[in-house]
Every structure is written in structure tokens, then in C-alpha cells.
Amino acid sequence: MMRILTSLVLGAALLAGAAQAQNQPLRITIDEGIIEPLPYAAPNFVPDSPAAAEYAAEIARVLADDLTGSGLFREIPSTAYISQVTSFDAPVQFADWKAINAQALITGAVSVSGNRLTVRFRLWDVFAGAELGSGLQFAGTTDGWRRMAHKVADAVYSRITGEGGYFDSRVAFVSESGPKDQRRKRLAIMDYDGANVQYLTDSSSIVLAPRFSPSGDRVLYTSYQGGFPRIHILDVGQVQQRVLQSQDGTMSFAPRFSPDGQTVLFSLAQGGNTDLYAMNIASGQSTRLTSAPSIETAPSYSPDGSRIVFESDRSGTPQLYVMSASGGEATRISFGQGRYGTPVWSPRGDLIAFTKQSKGRFHIGVMRTDGSEERLLTASFLDEGPTWSPNGRVIMFTRETQGASGRAALYSVDISGRNLRPVRTPDGGSDPSWSPLQK
């Protein structure tokens, strides 16, 4: 029996087995239980010319960084290799890869013609001695080589785990620089792993809470340009923005797109009261969803758009509530000790991530949509603002260190609470928002 030992996910073991006698394919079933990551080999891809050599090596490295960074895979170093892959079409020497305990093997080839780049790859089940799925090919410009590496990683991840990948995605965030008492903030986007940072605003005014649209082409955010917080919507490709309509004397903030991208859900403060509103982007018409004498904020839609989870202090302390997307009676779902905020519905629809403050510590946690099975994934001086990866497997958030020299940075963690990792940014970073997979 072929054994596949994997790393902890959702508090249960990733097991997969394939009986060689039955020639069953390699497969990780993310179910329950966990042990250690799946060992794999990813030799440098084979270049078809000297011009392709650098791309071939770099693509293989980004692919390996993606898989290993997920916490579900462990790369076998090239120094352990017995066989070398010098031809994409040559037969695989499975015995050599089995001898170094590689359970999966990824081979690839890269060709370059002018500024056009083509990547081919195959995924092999070493113990079964067979290809897992059919080989794929991605084509684009040489400038987009990193994205093609992420696409290969997503395909490998999906074939082995059976769930969607998340590597070919981006993150909008607030880039922070300068001392803590004079922090300069500007809106930025980057690849999920911190590469290809692009700044969308300058630091002339405070910006908060960027949120990607479901199609990934627009970003909502709150800006203090003009002195009052107002919600802006920005076209990422053209870096063009406009301010959403609002009444004079009001403050609008904490925006979030609906799943169809046609509505913006947000908080509006006026006359000492803060309620939730929904605005049709095309018409600018707003509908009031709550009218309680309390602060309602940080709303988030369920994936099907039928419900909203939000933060409210109507019970005396900030707690989490769920109600219909059209408003009406809300049901409290958080009942643990402490204060709850910034809830975000998982793309899978099964969990809600949140920030919790309890006993002097801040945590990122998850719970079922009815409030059951609460689990805290992190703990620090200040953790806040979770955002979900496109496949609902990983959460990114802000962590800030203590003291006058404290710095905000982005971190990610698996929903099991394992694989806590910093996310690289040029300066400090906060308020992350994960995009869907790019098209």
C-alpha cells in the first residue's frame, strides 16, 4: 500500500493511499487527521534554448515555493536526486525517484520565442509509476512568467488535494511607512506572495480597508481625502477612481462588494448612530438595512449573497450577528468570552473568520456560520482583519508589534492554525484583501 503522509489541515489528517496493485492514482483527501507534508521533487524545467534557461529555473523555483509554502508539501532537495531530467519527453526513471522517497514528481519544459513564453508540465505519481492527469500548457509573455509558475502550482495543488488552488491571486493592502505617530499609508496591490507590488494611491491622505471585487478588477476602500471618510471605488487596470455618493455630514466606511459585484455593503454614521446600508453601484441608490441604536459595522456577504454577517455592540460589547441580506431581524452567533469583530464569510460558505480580543490578547479565529465550533488560530499583541484565500484554505491578516516602534505586517495561517508565516511587503502592511483567482 502506497503511503501518503501529509500536513495538518482543519485539525484532521490528510491521508491518501493508492494500492500499486490496483494502480490507483496519487490523491490527498483533505478530511481529518494529519501527519507530515507530502514529499515531492520539482527539478528545473527543461529549456528549449539558452534564452529559456533562466525562465526554466525561476519557474521551477516559484512553483516549489508555492507548494512548500502551503504547508502541505515538502520539497526534496536537488542534491538528493539520483536521476536528472534533461528531456521533457524522456521516460521517467521511477525507481530513482522512489528511492529518495519522492511521492510526486513535477517535470516541465519552457520555450521562448521573442517575448512569448510557453510552459508545459506533467505531474507524476511516483509509486504508481504513472502520470496524474494529462499534461498542460500555459502561454503568455515573458513578463508574465511568475504568473505561469503560479498557474502550474495551482494545477498541481488541485490534482493532489482535490480542491482549488490559490497561488494565481493578488492581495490589496495598505502599505505603511514612517514612524508610528506619523504613519504614511497608501493603497497597494501585489501577488499573493508579495511580488509585483503596485501602488494605487499616494500617501497624501489616510486610506483604509481595501476590498477586491468578485471579478478582481476593482477595489473598494475608505479614504479621508477631503477630511471625512468616504468610500472610493478604483479600477485596478486603469488606476482610475471615483467616490461613491453619500449625504453631506455623514461618514461612510467598511465597504464590501456583493458576490455579483453590483452592490456595495457599508457602514454609514450620522447623527451619532452607525448603521448598515447597501448601495446599487450603477444607480447610487442606497437601502438602509439596520436601525438599531448601536454601532453596526464590518459587514460581509455569504457567498450566495443571501445573508450578511456583521459586528454590533447592541448587546453591550462588540459581537457577531447574521441577518438576511435584505435586512430584518439579526441572530447573534458569538458567545465566547471577549469582544468580536471584522467577520468575513469563507468562499466555501462553511466558516466565518473573525478578530477576537480576550484577556489582553488579540486572535484570529474561525467558527461555523451558526457560531458553533469556534477555534482560535493565532494570538499576539494585535492580530486583526482576516481575509480568505480564494479556496478558503488560508487566512491572511494584520499583525502589529507592541511599543512606540511597533510595526504592522501581513501574516498568513492555515485554517488548522498551522503554518503561520509572514507575508513579505516592501514596507509595513495592513488591511489585506485577497482577490479571487485571476482569469
Side-chain angles (χ1 to χ4, degrees), residues 172-220:
F173 68 104
V174 175
S175 177
E176 301 191 4
S177 59
K180 197 169 186 177
D181 59 350
Q182 296 180 352
R183 194 65 51 88
R184 296 186 297 276
K185 299 186 177 186
R186 51 181 173 165
L187 187 64
I189 59 172
M190 64 183 182
D191 294 352
Y192 98 99
D193 59 357
N196 296 325
V197 175
Q198 177 186 1
Y199 296 102
L200 304 178
T201 66
D202 58 27
S203 57
S204 60
S205 58
I206 296 174
V207 292
L208 301 169
R211 300 291 180 255
F212 261 113
S213 67
S215 56
D217 60 344
R218 294 169 295 165
V219 171
L220 287 168

Side-chain angles (χ1 to χ4, degrees), residues 41-63:
N44 285 348
F45 284 14
V46 179
D48 74 340
S49 65
E54 182 177 354
Y55 294 108
E58 293 293 342
I59 287 171
R61 288 308 87 213
V62 171
L63 159 69

Side-chain angles (χ1 to χ4, degrees), residues 239-282:
V239 196
Q240 293 180 344
Q241 63 171 320
R242 65 185 176 94
V243 182
L244 295 187
Q245 298 178 22
S246 60
Q247 302 174 16
D248 292 339
T250 65
M251 296 185 293
S252 53
F253 52 95
R256 182 85 62 174
F257 279 103
S258 62
D260 63 8
Q262 298 179 15
T263 301
V264 173
L265 188 61
F266 63 98
S267 291
L268 186 143
Q270 60 180 337
N273 195 41
T274 302
D275 282 300
L276 300 183
Y277 286 74
M279 175 188 291
N280 180 280
I281 297 176

Side-chain angles (χ1 to χ4, degrees), residues 322-400:
V322 170
M323 70 178 180
S324 168
S326 59
E329 185 176 354
T331 301
R332 180 175 168 177
I333 62 169
S334 60
F335 291 95
Q337 293 184 351
R339 304 158 67 92
Y340 294 77
T342 64
V344 189
W345 220 299
S346 165
R348 299 178 179 182
D350 59 338
L351 295 173
I352 290 171
F354 56 87
T355 301
K356 182 175 182 177
Q357 182 183 9
S358 178
K359 299 178 180 179
R361 304 280 279 175
F362 279 80
H363 310 266
I364 300 298
V366 293
M367 64 173 63
R368 295 292 178 184
T369 60
D370 62 358
S372 63
E373 300 182 32
E374 177 182 321
R375 291 181 292 113
L376 300 181
L377 309 180
T378 73
S380 83
F381 165 71
L382 180 56
D383 287 351
E384 62 180 353
T387 182
W388 290 93
S389 64
N391 67 351
R393 174 61 53 186
V394 182
I395 293 172
M396 194 177 295
F397 61 96
T398 304
R399 170 168 287 184
E400 185 161 346

